[in-house]
């Protein structure tokens, strides 16, 4: 019963997290596009930097931006902050329910580091807190005076942290923590810098003083970072469903590529929203980076590399008739069925994860492709290798699947 409630709690938290994330990133995309589309022209009210016209939902909108603030404060003012806070809070709740709730399944991989649950959780939380502190200090240090130098330093910083997470956590745990660190930086930028600076500006205006322009510049710098981090953070959060991305030895290089892809895609949209020439080069560049990520995912030692393949149902017969099948059945019933059963015997599991049953011959044939992806070409299953699948077992599963289905060993050559 408690497992079922936990499962539903997980689902509810995820639903909330996706909704708040859409609200946050949606409003962030909107305001960046709005900001870039503003045009300076004659005849605008005093203090207005530029204006723009938009049409949506049957009406026309005339938007103006006051760079510092209007001469008199409006009575009602909408602040955009809860989207960000709620996304971070629901995300942290989710990481607690899932990763800190079952660290043995999702966070710890004993072939990477033999951590106790409390150690893994401690490293995770410390990584998020220290990561923010270092980022914040880098921005405030002399390095932060030059935007381009700062970008380069921050890029290296995030990749190093991502690499460090891959040295202590499962690939999946490392990706979610890198994503969570980026999300923490983005949210902390809002709560610690952008909103407080805006409040200080409003306060000094109300007192009739001239606000310090440095406050606005600092907020702008942080909000630009947030702009370029939105796409990588989404990739890293979603990557959990795609073991090909995280379940490889070179997963930390994939993190680096994702940061660059986040930049190239945003750069295209930022340029068109600003009415500049369209930088078409960003698309082939992004595709090439993506293909490099695909290639990296299956380079390296077989049990750490992986690839996807599709299996038409007609092949099931061949899979079961294979000479390797008896050995495959032994591996699967010995190493997977305790969790992937109609009535799992693994403590804490009320239901087979993702409703993947691996008990009967037909089950094994039906899920052959997933077995191949999750356990032969990646080490995603068993989670944290809890049932100690040997490299030779993974080799067997790979050979069985590849021989019976005629799959090429490598996707890209
Ligand atoms: C300790 C329990 C456990 C064992 C043992 C285990 N799994 Fe899993 N399996 C899970 C959990 C938990 C999930 C859900 C993962 C998630 O939420 O992404 C899962 C998910 C899966 C999925 C679905 C993945 C997806 O994202 O669609 C497949 C396929 C799978 N396991 C195959 C296997 C195979 C093959 C083995 C044996 C080599 C195995 N599992 C052993 C717990 C286990």
């Amino acid at each position: 019963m408690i497992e079922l409630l936990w499962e539903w709690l997980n689902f509810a938290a995820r639903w909330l997290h996706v909704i708040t994330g859409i609200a946050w990133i949606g409003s962030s995309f909107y305001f960046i596009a709005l900001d870039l589309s503003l045009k300076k022209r004659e005849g605008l009210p005093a203090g207005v930097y530029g204006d723009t016209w938009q049409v949506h939902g049957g009406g026309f909108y005339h938007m103006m931006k006051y760079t510092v603030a209007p001469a008199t404060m409006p009575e009602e003012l909408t602040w955009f902050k809860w989207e960000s806070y709620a996304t971070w809070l629901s995300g942290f709740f989710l990481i607690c329910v899932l990763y800190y709730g079952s660290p043995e399944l999702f966070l710890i991989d004993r072939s990477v580091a033999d951590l106790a649950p409390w150690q893994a959780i401690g490293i995770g939380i410390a990584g998020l807190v220290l990561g923010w502190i270092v980022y914040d200090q880098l921005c405030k240090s002399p390095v932060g005076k030059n935007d381009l130098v700062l970008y380069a330093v921050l890029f290296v910083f995030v990749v190093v942290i991502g690499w460090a997470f891959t040295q202590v956590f499962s690939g999946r745990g490392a990706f979610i923590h890198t994503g969570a660190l980026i999300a923490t930086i983005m949210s902390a930028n809002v709560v610690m810098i952008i909103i407080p600076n805006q409040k200080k500006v409003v306060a000094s205006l109300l007192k009739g003083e001239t606000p310090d322009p440095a406050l606005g510049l600092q907020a702008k710098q942080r909000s630009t970072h947030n702009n370029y981090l939105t796409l990588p953070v989404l990739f890293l959060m979603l990557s959990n469903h795609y073991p090909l991305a995280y379940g490889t030895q070179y997963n930390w290089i994939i993190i680096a590529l994702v940061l660059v892809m986040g930049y190239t895609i945003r750069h295209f949209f930022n340029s068109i929203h600003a009415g500049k020439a369209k930088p078409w080069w960003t698309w082939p560049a992004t595709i090439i980076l993506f293909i490099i990520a695909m290639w990296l995912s299956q380079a390296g030692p077989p049990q750490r590399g992986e690839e996807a393949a599709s299996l038409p149902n007609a092949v099931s017969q061949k899979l079961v008739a294979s000479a390797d099948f008896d050995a495959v059945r032994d591996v699967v019933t010995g190493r997977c069925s305790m969790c992937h059963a109609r009535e799992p015997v693994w403590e804490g599991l009320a239901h087979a994860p993702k409703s993947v049953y691996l008990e009967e011959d037909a089950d094994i044939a039906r899920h052959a492709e997933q077995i191949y992806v999750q356990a032969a070409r990646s080490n995603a299953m068993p989670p944290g290798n809890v049932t100690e699948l040997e490299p030779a077992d993974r080799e067997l599963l790979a050979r069985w699947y590849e021989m019976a289905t005629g799959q090429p060993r490598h996707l890209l050559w």
Side-chain angles (χ1 to χ4, degrees):
M1 184 63 195
I2 192 80
E3 288 87 6
L4 295 181
L5 284 177
W6 197 248
E7 189 71 16
W8 279 104
L9 189 64
N10 177 344
F11 188 13
R14 192 172 298 234
W15 190 26
L16 177 67
H17 187 52
V18 170
I19 295 167
T20 53
I22 290 173
W24 180 17
I25 295 189
S27 64
S28 155
F29 281 172
Y30 174 71
F31 276 103
I32 285 160
L34 173 64
D35 215 55
L36 291 169
S37 71
L38 294 167
K39 298 273 179 313
K40 289 184 192 166
R41 59 178 182 85
E42 295 290 311
L44 290 171
V48 171
Y49 162 82
D51 70 344
T52 184
W53 284 87
Q54 300 179 339
V55 58
H56 186 262
F60 292 82
Y61 297 77
H62 185 198
M63 315 291 281
M64 282 190 241
K65 179 176 180 178
Y66 291 79
T67 339
V68 185
T72 52
M73 288 308 286
E75 275 175 24
E76 276 183 30
L77 190 56
T78 308
W79 290 82
F80 286 84
K81 54 183 184 184
W82 278 105
E83 293 83 353
S84 156
Y85 303 168
T87 306
W88 190 88
L89 290 171
S90 57
F92 189 70
F93 183 70
L94 198 53
I95 213 173
C96 290
V97 170
L98 211 56
Y99 287 82
Y100 302 156
S102 312
E104 298 92 345
L105 289 194
F106 301 122
L107 200 50
I108 299 169
D109 179 341
R110 278 174 297 152
S111 71
V112 175
D114 195 0
L115 298 175
W118 68 268
Q119 289 172 320
I121 297 170
I123 293 173
I125 294 179
L128 300 185
V129 176
L130 291 177
W132 156 255
I133 294 174
V134 173
Y135 161 84
D136 188 44
Q137 292 305 316
L138 282 172
C139 294
K140 289 174 177 162
S141 75
V143 171
K145 298 272 183 296
N146 182 325
D147 278 337
L148 286 180
V149 176
L150 182 63
Y151 282 155
V153 171
L154 292 177
F155 171 76
V156 174
F157 167 68
V158 175
V159 175
V160 168
I161 296 261
W163 172 84
F165 280 140
T166 63
Q167 302 305 300
V168 285
F169 293 149
S170 64
R172 180 178 169 158
F175 268 42
I176 205 75
H177 274 86
T178 311
L181 170 63
I182 297 178
T184 301
I185 288 175
M186 292 169 68
S187 247
N189 274 339
V190 177
V191 69
M192 314 276 278
I193 306 288
I194 299 172
I195 296 286
N197 284 14
Q198 198 78 55
K199 291 227 154 113
K200 282 183 209 154
V201 168
V202 170
S204 50
L205 281 168
L206 290 178
K207 275 193 259 162
E209 297 163 0
T210 317
D212 180 358
L215 292 170
L217 288 176
Q218 190 190 31
K220 180 78 200 159
Q221 182 186 57
R222 302 299 179 99
S223 107
T224 310
H225 293 172
N226 282 9
N227 177 212
Y228 285 114
L229 291 173
T230 41
L231 302 188
V233 91
L234 288 175
F235 181 102
L236 292 168
M237 295 302 174
L238 295 175
S239 71
N240 275 246
H241 305 285
Y242 299 92
L244 296 187
Y246 65 72
T248 147
Q249 175 179 23
Y250 301 117
N251 46 13
W252 64 274
I253 308 181
I254 294 181
I255 294 177
L257 295 174
V258 167
L259 289 172
V260 182
M261 283 190 274
Y263 172 80
T264 51
I265 300 172
R266 283 310 296 158
H267 180 65
F268 180 83
F269 288 102
N270 288 345
S271 303
I272 57 172
H273 292 147
K276 294 187 197 151
K278 297 188 176 73
W280 289 112
W281 63 267
T282 58
W283 290 109
T286 309
I287 292 167
I288 290 168
L289 291 166
F290 203 90
I291 291 173
I292 298 175
M294 287 164 66
W295 177 79
L296 281 172
S297 124
Q298 47 102 62
Q303 80 270 25
R304 304 274 293 169
E306 46 208 329
E307 67 197 34
S310 67
L311 173 65
N313 279 336
V315 185
S316 301
Q317 294 287 339
K318 264 184 145 179
L319 284 159
V320 178
S322 150
D324 283 324
F325 192 71
D326 284 343
V328 167
R329 186 200 293 118
D330 285 348
V331 169
V332 173
T333 49
R335 312 280 169 185
C336 318
S337 309
M338 53 287 275
C339 298
H340 291 285
R342 282 151 186 93
E343 287 182 27
V345 293
W346 190 269
E347 197 186 330
L349 279 183
H351 190 78
K354 301 218 162 168
S355 296
V356 173
Y357 305 119
L358 300 172
E359 293 175 291
E360 315 286 347
D361 290 3
D363 295 334
I364 300 176
R366 186 176 313 120
H367 292 294
E369 183 197 343
Q370 284 171 295
I371 296 174
Y372 179 67
V373 172
Q374 302 277 337
R377 301 298 289 159
S378 86
N379 58 1
M381 282 293 135
N385 206 12
V386 276
T387 54
E388 290 167 349
L389 203 62
E390 302 290 338
D393 297 334
R394 295 190 196 274
E395 214 29 67
L396 165 77
L397 294 175
R399 191 180 64 220
W400 162 67
Y401 184 81
E402 284 161 4
M403 301 278 280
T405 58
Q407 290 298 317
R409 182 101 191 139
H410 294 288
L411 255 191
L412 295 171
W413 60 78

